[in-house]
Structure formats: structure tokens, C-alpha cells
Amino acid sequence: MELNLNKHISGQFNVELEQIRNDVLKMGGLVEQQLTNALNAVTEADQELARHVLETDFQVNKMEVQIDEACTRIIAKRQPAASDLRLVLAIIKTITDLERIGDEAERIAKVALESFNKEQQEFLVSMDNMGRKALVMLHDVLDAFARMDVESAFKVHTADKVLDKEYEAITRQLMTYMMEDPRSIPKVMDVIWSVRSLERIGDRCQNISEYIIYFVKGKDVRHTSQSDIKDNVL
Amino acid sequence: MELNLNKHISGQFNVELEQIRNDVLKMGGLVEQQLTNALNAVTEADQELARHVLETDFQVNKMEVQIDEACTRIIAKRQPAASDLRLVLAIIKTITDLERIGDEAERIAKVALESFNKEQQEFLVSMDNMGRKALVMLHDVLDAFARMDVESAFKVHTADKVLDKEYEAITRQLMTYMMEDPRSIPKVMDVIWSVRSLERIGDRCQNISEYIIYFVKGKDVRHTSQSDIKDNVL
């Protein structure tokens, strides 16, 4: 989608909007790195890397507040309308979801602080597989945001179903394992929470994809079925 | 806090802002009813009531989209500044959290569709106790929102700690039970998810309390410690 920022009479307004968009992408990059590190920390049992993920939280939070303030300032000062306003509102919502994805990455990283026996490590492999899919979703939705590309955004929207199915399968597998080896329950529960976190990350990527569609198409597609979005919005 | 809506030159603007505030409270009332019904459905094993909770979801979603649209329209048309703008932005965020609280209530209601033996029912009592506390938080934060009362909002903010502790205690108790009776795992896991949902509801009430403080005090207190809020913001 052509952002057509040149239409603004005020060149300064363009600069401000571009700055905010860049900041969102920077924040997104940071969160993507957090999730990558969290997954690697678990797979490689790298406690230092896990702690690094926890420390990055502060930075992500700060960016959320800064971008939110910049958005409020731009609304008050520039009184944007139509697609400019939609962009600012979409950004306000996007950064909330990005920040929460960072929180989930933290939760996942904490699993790296535990130790697992050989059999339990199999679950970490399943979790890592699912995590890589969530990571691709996050990467793709940030890419769709950068280009404001609704087609790519919609692809992320549909990808969430695959992640949900994987989540259900792994959870079932983990419950069976707990039934067979009840002493493992506390540890396996940590894996279950992480897998749940990954499922939530998928949901949040889906949210962001909806904000992109909202900005480009001017339609709020939350609570709208995918076939409806495909047939009537895209 | 005196809302001082009369300061607007346009009487119509006042009417619009008041309308949106009322709609938020109506939406909040609906979500509060959903959570009450969900808890009652579980305690009384009332499957019909549980299904009623699931059906209300549609209404809550619709209100979220409508209020969000009204907020966007008011920004575009009235170009609010200062506290008016903060109010509209606080509302946009509040309704997202309210809608998600409704989603969590749904998850809880689903537990009523299962059957539990006598011993397992004890956990439903613990869950219900925690649920009533979450319900009080929701009620209080909606009340604080209605009166835009920062002191009450801050009380909800601090109440979340109590809920978090209860959550940890119940989860530990449920894990012990699963270890003792592994066949119970799938059912107890459903209770664990619900207890987690209650914990999330507490988080979301805390979020709403932060938006109230943001509107009244003009300060974004997300990621700010409670002692900091108390000493430097209230």
C-alpha cells in the first residue's frame, strides 16, 4: 500500500508520523529479539541468555510509553483525520500487543532457569517447534506492518489457526505425560504455561494483523470471521 | 473528580462524551454480569447459565466495536485536546480490557459444563472464593471509572496483589492434588485454566485502574511501582 505521506501540507507532520512508525518497528524488532532469545535460552538451557530476556523488558516498556505519548501528542497537535488518524490509533493498539508479547517471552525465558531430564527435553523440542512458528508469525506481522500490506497481514491472521491446533496437541501430550509420571507435574506445568504463552503470542499477532487491515481498509475486523474478511474486506 | 464537562463550548460535544461514558459503563455492567453468571454457573453446576454466558459474548464484542467507532468519530470531528483527549484514549483502552475480561468469563463458564466428584468440588469452592474477589475488583474499578475517582482506582491497583497470591496458592494446591490423583489431571487442568483466567481478570482491572489515573492525573503509570504512584502521582 502506498502510504502517500506526501499529501500532508505540513512536512513536519510527515516526519513525525514516519518517526513513530519507525519507533514501532524498532520496538517490534526488540520484542522479536526477546522471543528469539527466549526460545534459544530454553533449547540451549542458557540461563544467562534467559536473564538477558528478562532485563530487556524495561526497554520494551519504556518504548511503549514513549510511542504512546508521541501518538497522543500527534493527535492533539496535528488533529489527524481519516487514514492518518487510523494509523495513529492502530499504532496505539499495536504497541500494547507488542509489549504483552514481550511479557510472554519473559515467561518462556524463565523455563530455561529449570533443568529437565532427557524425556522431558522432548517436550522442549515440541515447544521450540511451536515457538518457531510463533516467531515467524511475529516476524511476518511486523513485516506486514512495515509495508502496510493487508494480504500479508491476512496470512498471519489465518496462520493463528495452525498455531492453535499445535497448542492443543502439545497440551494433550503434556497432560498424558503428567498422568504417566506425576512427579514431573510441577516441571511440566512450566512447559504448559510456556506453550500457552506461545498461543497467546499468536493471538496477539492476529490482533496486530487486524489493526493493519483496519488502517488500510478502514474496517474494524475484530470479531469478524476469516471468510468474511476475505470476501468483504480484502 | 469533577468532570467539568460544561466547559465545552459545544453542548453537543458534552452529550457525545457523556454518551460514550455511559456506553462504557453499560458494557462494563454486561461484563460484570457475565463474570457473575460464570461463577454461579460453576458453583451451581448450571449448564444453562453457562451457555448464557457464552451467548452474551456477541453483545460485548458488538459494544466494543461500537464504542471504539464512536471514540474515533469524536477525535476526528471534535479534535479534543488535554483531558478530553485523555478521556477518549482511556476509553479506547478500557473497552479492550473489558472485552477480554468477557472472554475470560467465557472460559470460566465452560468449567460448568464438566462434572466433578466431591473432592474436586473443593477446588471449585477455592476458585469461587478467588472469583468473588476478582468480581469485587471489577465492580470497584467500574465504580471508580464512573466517578473518575483515582483513590478508588488505586485501591483496585493494590488489590491485584492479593489476587495474585491467592492464584499462586490455589495453583499449588491443584498441582499437589494432580500428583496425588493423576487420573484427575484433565479435569483439574480445566480448573487451573479458570483460576488463571481469574488472575488475568485481576490484571485487566489493574490496567483499567491505570487508565483512570492517566485520565485524571495526566500521567501514564503503566510499568510504575505502586509506591511510586502513591508518592508521586496521587
Side-chain angles (χ1 to χ4, degrees):
Chain A
M1 192 227 182
E2 188 50 67
L3 269 179
N4 200 15
L5 290 170
N6 293 327
K7 68 172 188 273
H8 298 121
I9 296 160
S10 159
Q12 185 55 30
F13 186 14
N14 285 350
V15 173
E16 286 170 14
L17 273 183
E18 258 319 291
Q19 180 63 48
I20 293 180
R21 264 166 46 89
N22 285 339
D23 285 347
V24 175
L25 290 172
K26 232 164 92 181
M27 182 181 172
L30 202 61
V31 172
E32 196 181 333
Q33 193 55 57
Q34 256 191 316
L35 182 56
T36 309
N37 287 343
L39 293 172
N40 289 342
V42 174
T43 319
E44 293 154 24
D46 185 338
Q47 304 204 348
E48 205 177 318
L49 190 57
R51 273 187 285 272
H52 180 67
V53 174
L54 306 187
E55 285 157 11
T56 319
D57 182 48
F58 168 74
Q59 252 177 294
V60 173
N61 292 348
K62 214 171 107 186
M63 290 199 79
E64 183 197 11
V65 172
Q66 279 171 349
I67 296 172
D68 207 54
E69 275 172 8
C71 286
T72 309
R73 255 199 321 275
I74 224 170
I75 294 177
K77 206 170 72 174
R78 302 288 179 185
Q79 306 173 337
S83 85
D84 292 334
L85 178 56
R86 288 204 307 275
L87 177 61
V88 177
L89 293 175
I91 286 174
I92 287 178
K93 288 172 183 171
T94 297
I95 55 174
T96 305
D97 282 293
L98 283 178
E99 192 269 330
R100 303 286 159 79
I101 292 175
D103 287 347
E104 303 291 358
E106 265 190 89
R107 263 178 220 122
I108 294 164
K110 280 179 188 158
V111 173
L113 306 176
E114 305 254 6
S115 61
F116 294 89
N117 68 32
K118 217 171 172 185
E119 204 173 349
Q120 289 161 352
Q121 272 165 6
E122 272 177 39
F123 301 125
L124 299 186
V125 175
S126 304
M127 178 186 146
D128 190 63
N129 282 337
M130 185 182 165
R132 299 297 154 181
K133 284 196 185 113
L135 197 54
V136 169
M137 276 181 78
L138 177 58
H139 180 85
D140 288 353
V141 86
L142 289 170
D143 189 57
F145 181 91
R147 297 182 290 114
M148 283 303 165
D149 178 338
V150 276
E151 296 289 340
S152 314
F154 185 66
K155 262 189 203 150
V156 173
H157 203 281
T158 54
D160 190 45
K161 264 192 189 157
V162 182
L163 205 71
D164 284 349
K165 273 197 187 140
E166 194 151 343
Y167 162 70
E168 274 166 40
I170 299 176
T171 311
R172 251 198 315 273
Q173 187 196 16
L174 287 166
M175 285 211 277
T176 310
Y177 183 77
M178 289 199 291
M179 288 167 87
E180 282 163 7
D181 179 12
R183 285 162 312 160
S184 72
I185 288 178
K187 242 174 232 181
V188 177
M189 279 303 294
D190 282 334
V191 182
I192 287 193
W193 293 131
S194 295
V195 171
R196 175 78 153 198
S197 284
L198 290 171
E199 189 262 337
R200 297 274 173 148
I201 289 174
D203 289 346
R204 292 188 177 280
C205 290
Q206 199 177 43
N207 291 345
I208 296 173
S209 76
E210 289 173 353
Y211 309 143
I212 295 169
I213 296 172
Y214 163 74
F215 163 62
V216 177
K217 296 290 181 180
K219 281 233 169 117
D220 188 340
V221 295
R222 287 176 296 184
H223 321 301
T224 309
S225 73
Q226 281 173 354
S227 58
D228 242 28
I229 298 177
K230 203 177 168 192
D231 295 344
N232 304 318
V233 181
L234 296 193
Chain B
M1 192 230 181
E2 187 52 65
L3 268 181
N4 199 18
L5 290 170
N6 293 327
K7 69 172 189 274
H8 298 122
I9 296 160
S10 158
Q12 185 54 30
F13 187 13
N14 286 349
V15 173
E16 286 170 12
L17 273 183
E18 258 319 293
Q19 180 62 48
I20 293 182
R21 264 167 46 87
N22 284 338
D23 285 347
V24 175
L25 290 172
K26 233 163 91 183
M27 183 182 172
L30 202 61
V31 172
E32 197 181 332
Q33 194 55 56
Q34 255 191 317
L35 181 56
T36 310
N37 286 344
L39 293 172
N40 289 342
V42 174
T43 320
E44 293 155 24
D46 185 338
Q47 304 203 348
E48 204 177 320
L49 191 59
R51 272 187 285 270
H52 180 66
V53 174
L54 306 187
E55 285 156 11
T56 319
D57 181 49
F58 169 73
Q59 253 177 294
V60 173
N61 292 350
K62 214 171 108 184
M63 291 199 79
E64 185 198 10
V65 172
Q66 278 171 349
I67 297 172
D68 206 56
E69 274 171 10
C71 286
T72 310
R73 255 197 322 272
I74 224 171
I75 294 177
K77 205 168 73 173
R78 303 289 179 186
Q79 306 174 336
S83 85
D84 292 334
L85 177 56
R86 288 205 306 277
L87 178 61
V88 177
L89 293 175
I91 286 174
I92 287 178
K93 287 172 184 171
T94 297
I95 54 174
T96 304
D97 282 292
L98 282 178
E99 192 268 332
R100 303 286 159 81
I101 292 174
D103 286 346
E104 303 291 358
E106 266 190 89
R107 261 177 221 123
I108 293 164
K110 280 180 189 159
V111 173
L113 305 177
E114 303 255 7
S115 62
F116 293 90
N117 69 32
K118 218 172 173 185
E119 205 173 349
Q120 288 162 352
Q121 272 166 7
E122 272 178 39
F123 302 125
L124 298 186
V125 175
S126 305
M127 178 186 145
D128 190 63
N129 282 337
M130 185 182 166
R132 300 297 155 182
K133 282 193 187 118
L135 197 54
V136 169
M137 276 180 77
L138 177 58
H139 181 84
D140 288 353
V141 87
L142 288 171
D143 189 56
F145 181 91
R147 298 181 291 112
M148 284 302 166
D149 179 338
V150 275
E151 296 289 340
S152 313
F154 186 65
K155 263 188 203 150
V156 174
H157 204 280
T158 54
D160 190 46
K161 263 191 190 159
V162 182
L163 205 71
D164 284 348
K165 272 193 187 143
E166 196 151 340
Y167 163 70
E168 275 167 38
I170 299 177
T171 311
R172 251 197 315 273
Q173 188 195 15
L174 288 167
M175 283 209 278
T176 311
Y177 183 76
M178 289 198 293
M179 288 167 88
E180 283 163 7
D181 179 13
R183 284 161 312 160
S184 72
I185 288 177
K187 243 176 231 180
V188 177
M189 280 302 295
D190 282 334
V191 182
I192 288 192
W193 293 131
S194 296
V195 170
R196 175 77 153 203
S197 284
L198 290 171
E199 189 262 338
R200 297 275 172 146
I201 289 175
D203 289 347
R204 293 191 176 277
C205 290
Q206 199 177 42
N207 291 346
I208 296 173
S209 76
E210 290 173 353
Y211 308 143
I212 295 169
I213 296 172
Y214 163 74
F215 163 62
V216 177
K217 296 289 182 181
K219 281 232 170 119
D220 188 340
V221 295
R222 285 176 296 183
H223 322 302
T224 309
S225 74
Q226 283 175 352
S227 58
D228 242 29
I229 298 177
K230 201 177 170 190
D231 295 345
N232 304 319
V233 182
L234 296 191

